Amino acid sequence: TSAADLRRFVHAAQSTSRRIQNMKIPVIAAVQGYAVGAGCEVVICCDLVVAEETAKFGFPEVTVGACITNAGTFILPRKVGLSRAKRLALTGEFIDAKEGYRIGLVDELAPAGKVKETAEKLARRIASRAPIVVSLHKQMLDRALESSFETALAMETEAVVASMMSEDNLEGTTAFEEKREPVFKGR
């Protein structure tokens, strides 16, 4: 295998991470069993992670002489902090979902056999919110750690203008006043 072949393979694998990061809607991972190596890299690219309590996570690449790819070295320290990211990447140790939850890798724990149901409940809750605002929040939060304070304020200003001028804002305000659930249309 040549270096050029390996680069093509890595770029193809990384396309999944790019697609997840570029989605305008939130992506929720529902994890049961093992999410290790490339599987864990894809999981951490997701906006939210729901895991069965028995799930395992890890980056065993170092144990076989390979490197992390799929933006794992970019996203992992942002999710769990630099020190914890180093421990996971440098040791290749696996952690369970409870430890993943404790350190911020997992957002919600689900009982065994209930991960899909738990993730769908979370997805429905998000889907019931104003779609324009959900998308704007995702975009701004995805850029938050690389933006300056002033850039964040500028992004928020434009997001407020876009959201306040939407039909969904009028619907949300009306629903609040009428003490009912809003019916958002994404306009």
Side-chain angles (χ1 to χ4, degrees):
T1 303
S2 71
D5 289 340
L6 286 171
R7 282 188 186 87
R8 279 191 293 279
F9 172 78
V10 170
H11 290 152
Q14 291 172 340
S15 68
T16 299
S17 299
R18 279 191 187 92
R19 281 195 297 270
I20 292 169
Q21 285 291 299
N22 291 328
M23 295 285 294
K24 292 189 187 232
I25 60 172
V27 177
I28 301 171
V31 181
Q32 62 185 67
Y34 285 80
V36 299
C40 196
E41 293 162 7
V42 170
V43 164
I44 66 171
C45 282
C46 294
D47 298 294
L48 297 167
V49 178
V50 178
E52 282 189 359
E53 294 172 342
T54 57
K56 303 279 188 213
F57 299 86
F59 297 89
E61 289 86 347
V62 70
T63 67
V64 296
C67 282
I68 293 172
T69 186
N70 292 318
T73 59
F74 179 83
I75 295 171
L76 186 61
R78 286 164 170 77
K79 284 207 175 238
V80 303
L82 183 58
S83 180
R84 288 183 178 116
K86 283 183 179 182
R87 180 171 177 99
L88 288 168
L90 299 177
T91 66
E93 297 170 349
F94 290 2
I95 60 171
D96 63 24
K98 290 177 185 173
E99 176 65 5
Y101 180 78
R102 190 184 74 73
I103 67 173
L105 184 74
V106 172
D107 299 294
E108 189 169 345
L109 294 171
K114 300 284 187 181
V115 71
K116 184 177 177 186
E117 177 183 314
T118 305
E120 286 175 351
K121 182 178 176 185
L122 177 59
R124 281 191 298 276
R125 188 176 330 136
I126 293 168
S128 74
R129 306 310 191 222
I132 293 169
V133 176
V134 168
S135 181
L136 290 168
H137 282 175
K138 175 180 163 41
Q139 291 171 41
M140 290 185 293
L141 290 167
D142 282 346
R143 294 183 183 110
L145 295 177
E146 287 75 46
S147 298
S148 69
F149 182 74
E150 290 301 323
T151 299
L153 292 177
M155 285 190 299
E156 287 176 358
T157 299
E158 294 310 309
V160 167
V161 169
S163 66
M164 297 296 283
M165 294 182 71
S166 71
E167 289 178 28
D168 281 350
N169 178 259
L170 178 59
E171 167 61 13
T173 304
T174 303
F176 178 78
E177 290 170 355
E178 295 174 356
K179 297 181 183 354
R180 64 172 172 81
E181 289 296 315
V183 180
F184 296 117
K185 296 183 176 156
R187 298 191 291 250

